[in-house]
Amino acid sequence: MKINKQTFQEITRPTYIVEEDELRKNLHLIQSVAKSADIEIILAFKAFALWKTFPIFREYIHATTASSLFEARLALHEFGAKAHTYSPAYTDDEMEEIAQCSSHVTFNSLTQFNRHKEVAIKHQASIGIRINPEYSEVETELYNPCAPGTRFGITSDMLPSTLPQEIEGFHCHCHCESSAEEFQRSLQEIEKRFSPWFQQIKWINFGGGHLMTKAGYNIDLLVTMLTEFKKRYPHLQVILEPGSAFAWHTGTLVAQVVDIVENKGIQTAIINASFTCHMPDCLEMPYHPRIRQAKHTENQHTENGHIYRIGGNSCLSGDYMGYWVFDHPLQIGENIIFEDMIHYTTVKTNMFNGISHPSIALLHSNSEIEMLRTYTYDDYKARMD
């Protein structure tokens, strides 16, 4: 079925729509950065794990990163390559299979390393340790991996001067939707604290949060930084594992207005989707999403037009956001199109309240839409088994 890419008028139930053209545009840019800087860039499943799109990804990249057993299994069995795996804490009952599915295993602490290293060695995984540079410019503490008291990584004062010989790499993550300039400053801190150990390792993974596909991102600076780093340490393989960058602005969540209610002069358009279930980062971060053909406003009394708060259809009182200005009165059944709702959204959705889960679709270049998955009562029931 061909659809109108602007209005999605043919879509009449909640649906995440991944646009193939936009996905390929991001993948091409990421591939070009990796080639220009002579590094490896891999996909972090924590931000995007729609495995039915992996055939597209495999045209551009060769590996992925996992944070759990299930993600590691997805890497091996659906992407077709072993994962670069990191977890804050591996459990005894899962470690064997995680190592089987992983080309790299990064430990969060020396305690975890000592407990599980033999399993990783048995399966010939390259072993890494997560380091904490004690520096991050991420302002939202919920997303700051280097906040004081963080459970992530080992600080330089806690590392032995000579690493255990089994440790071949460092993993460092201190960004979230960050710029090249932020990476430049954090890289200085990483080198200042950890370069004495660089001659003892073979690879370094600078983690995710490098939002290189965002408009205005300084690609030239990123490539220059990475190229110069490799000149300083030519023996090190350099890895980046962004998540958001791959799926940034690659699709939408299309929902429909099901009712309009008014209370104390506030009009709320209730949709058949939910912020808490289907757009959780909007409430957690928090941030206001973009809505197609509408303008967000902080003050409903200073705008001309038709102003609505948007309400989700769960029982959570705070399942709403607002306000948005539309150029027309909203009608029941009308589509509300939330922009940029693929990264970190499709992986975080839940079925709280048993609310109908959005379908997942892939929009091809010729405007043909392919439904990858629709959800039913059986999917909800299975979660309660």
Side-chain angles (χ1 to χ4, degrees), residues 102-138:
S102 303
S103 61
H104 297 64
V105 173
T106 295
F107 294 103
N108 189 60
S109 68
L110 290 173
T111 306
Q112 280 270 296
F113 163 74
N114 287 320
R115 186 177 186 86
H116 297 298
K117 65 180 180 181
E118 296 302 330
V119 179
I121 292 169
K122 181 175 72 172
H123 293 286
Q124 300 181 317
S126 180
I127 294 176
I129 200 81
R130 178 160 177 167
I131 57 174
N132 179 356
E134 303 178 75
Y135 178 88
S136 176
E137 298 182 24
V138 178

Side-chain angles (χ1 to χ4, degrees), residues 18-255:
V18 182
E19 298 189 30
E20 183 179 354
D21 284 349
E22 299 304 315
L23 182 60
R24 286 188 179 276
K25 187 187 303 181
N26 286 354
L27 285 163
H28 178 75
L29 186 149
I30 289 168
Q31 182 188 54
S32 68
V33 169
K35 184 176 180 180
S36 298
D38 189 26
I39 66 167
E40 184 173 20
I41 304 179
I42 62 181
L43 169 66
F45 284 159
K46 65 181 180 180
F48 183 91
L50 297 181
W51 58 271
K52 289 184 179 179
T53 65
F54 288 175
I56 298 173
F57 278 79
R58 286 196 296 266
E59 296 178 31
Y60 301 88
I61 65 170
H62 307 293
T64 59
T65 181
S67 302
S68 63
L69 171 58
F70 290 169
E71 285 188 344
R73 290 174 64 179
L74 194 72
L76 181 60
H77 300 304
E78 301 302 336
F79 192 86
K82 290 186 175 183
H84 294 234
T85 305
Y86 160 80
S87 173
Y90 299 103
T91 59
D92 293 349
D93 62 314
E94 293 184 345
M95 190 64 223
E96 186 80 32
E97 189 175 359
I98 284 175
Q100 290 175 354
C101 296
S102 303
S103 61
H104 297 64
V105 173
T106 295
F107 294 103
N108 189 60
S109 68
L110 290 173
T111 306
Q112 280 270 296
F113 163 74
N114 287 320
R115 186 177 186 86
H116 297 298
K117 65 180 180 181
E118 296 302 330
V119 179
I121 292 169
K122 181 175 72 172
H123 293 286
Q124 300 181 317
S126 180
I127 294 176
I129 200 81
R130 178 160 177 167
I131 57 174
N132 179 356
E134 303 178 75
Y135 178 88
S136 176
E137 298 182 24
V138 178
E139 295 181 354
T140 303
E141 189 162 329
L142 180 67
Y143 297 95
N144 184 352
C146 298
T150 180
R151 68 192 192 280
F152 295 134
I154 303 172
T155 54
S156 57
D157 60 313
M158 299 296 287
L159 272 182
S161 56
T162 300
L163 295 172
Q165 63 178 4
E166 298 92 347
I167 294 177
E168 296 185 335
F170 280 168
H171 174 102
C172 181
H173 180 79
C174 53
H175 299 100
C176 177
E177 297 186 358
S178 301
S179 66
E181 289 77 11
E182 289 172 277
F183 180 37
Q184 185 176 45
R185 293 186 288 271
S186 64
L187 183 58
Q188 292 172 354
E189 297 295 325
I190 293 166
E191 285 195 70
K192 182 173 71 176
R193 288 173 168 81
F194 292 98
S195 59
W197 288 275
F198 284 178
Q199 289 303 321
Q200 300 180 45
I201 60 175
K202 298 178 181 179
W203 55 265
I204 187 164
N205 184 329
F206 290 119
H210 308 276
L211 197 50
M212 61 190 75
T213 52
K214 181 179 180 180
Y217 186 97
N218 193 337
I219 295 291
D220 291 340
L221 175 60
L222 175 65
V223 171
T224 298
M225 269 192 296
L226 294 168
T227 302
E228 291 177 351
F229 181 87
K230 285 183 66 67
K231 287 180 181 177
R232 293 193 295 275
Y233 311 102
H235 70 289
L236 286 181
Q237 178 194 15
V238 175
I239 304 162
L240 301 184
E241 52 175 40
S244 294
F246 281 95
W248 187 256
H249 285 284
T250 58
T252 60
L253 171 59
V254 180

